[in-house]
């Protein structure tokens, strides 16, 4: 009954370091998404995936890398973290066909 | 480019009041519209999903309407309670952005229900 989980929930890192945020869902949803939420901007789509090994850019993809080797996992990597990537990151999933999106609890990332 | 606006940004009401939250979007070409609730420090909880062919959806004390031609949706909360205090987010799934699964969010309305 886990649904969709994210780890870590909180992360502090330094500029230039690589960071990977994990997302795992137990529903076998085909679609998975990564958003960032910032004051003044609301939620913005970073990357999404329609199925294993299929990913595509969203509105703000620069500085991020994703992969999806298994349907249930969708990690987000910041290859060289910058202060502007300080944000709350949410993972979401949905069935195909414009269905509801279900969100994880979020990861609060601080880049010093 | 689809834009979603929610006004007001914040709303404070006394307990028991019926209230309406507003959402507007610039392009009527949408697959659906979703209302979410977000509690402080938490993720988003889906409240209601309205398909583009529908006019409204109801769940308990919540009723969401959709007027696609005018680019508007409202979320009606009946008999508000302090537990309804949260930020309410509206999101549309645009037809024109290469897939029905992507969402464009408004910035939300922060609701406070005072006992």
């Amino acid at each position: 009954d886990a649904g969709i989980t994210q780890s870590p929930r909180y992360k502090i890192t330094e500029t230039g370091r690589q960071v990977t945020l994990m997302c795992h869902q137990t529903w076998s949803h085909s679609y998975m998404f990564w958003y960032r939420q910032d004051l003044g901007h609301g939620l913005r789509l970073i990357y999404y995936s329609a199925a294993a090994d299929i990913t595509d850019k969203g509105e703000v993809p620069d500085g991020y890398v994703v992969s999806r080797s298994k349907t249930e996992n969708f990690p987000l990597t910041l290859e060289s973290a910058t202060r502007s990537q300080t944000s709350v990151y949410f993972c979401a999933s949905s069935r195909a066909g414009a269905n509801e999106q279900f969100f994880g609890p979020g990861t609060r990332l601080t880049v010093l | 480019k689809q834009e979603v606006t929610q006004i007001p940004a914040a709303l404070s009401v006394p307990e028991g009041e019926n209230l309406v939250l507003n959402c507007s979007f610039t392009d009527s070409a949408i697959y659906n519209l979703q209302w979410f609730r977000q509690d402080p420090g938490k993720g988003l909880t889906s409240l209601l999903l309205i398909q583009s062919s529908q006019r409204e959806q109801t769940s308990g004390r919540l009723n969401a309407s959709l007027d696609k031609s005018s680019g508007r949706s409202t979320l009606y909360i009946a008999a508000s309670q302090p537990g309804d205090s949260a930020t309410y987010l509206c999101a549309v799934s645009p037809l024109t952005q290469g897939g029905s699964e992507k969402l464009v969010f408004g910035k939300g309305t922060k609701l406070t229900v005072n006992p």
Side-chain angles (χ1 to χ4, degrees), chain A residues 100, chain B residues 32-35 47-66 73-76:
Chain A
E100 286 179 275
Chain B
N32 60 44
L33 182 145
Q34 244 181 296
W35 282 94
L47 296 173
L48 290 164
L49 172 73
I50 310 178
Q51 300 292 351
S52 61
S53 58
Q54 297 175 319
R55 295 284 293 183
E56 65 179 317
Q57 282 284 348
T58 298
S59 176
R61 295 183 293 109
L62 304 180
N63 176 277
S65 69
L66 174 63
S73 176
T74 61
L75 179 66
Y76 174 83

Side-chain angles (χ1 to χ4, degrees), chain A residues 9 31 33 35 37 40-43 45 48 57 59 90 94-105, chain B residues 1 31-32 34 36 38 41-44 46-49 51 89 93 97-98 100-103 105-107:
Chain A
R9 294 293 315 281
Y31 276 83
F33 309 83
Y35 295 90
Q37 187 175 37
H41 289 283
L43 274 147
L45 181 65
Y48 68 104
K57 296 177 181 179
E59 182 183 356
F90 288 101
S94 73
R95 296 194 309 269
N99 286 296
E100 286 179 275
Q101 286 193 21
F102 297 90
F103 281 72
Chain B
K1 179 185 174 184
Y31 280 104
N32 60 44
Q34 244 181 296
F36 294 88
Q38 185 176 26
K42 300 291 178 68
L44 280 67
S46 177
L47 296 173
L48 290 164
L49 172 73
Q51 300 292 351
L89 295 157
S93 180
Q97 290 192 4
S100 61
E101 286 75 11
K102 287 192 268 189
L103 291 176
F105 282 85
K107 294 178 182 178

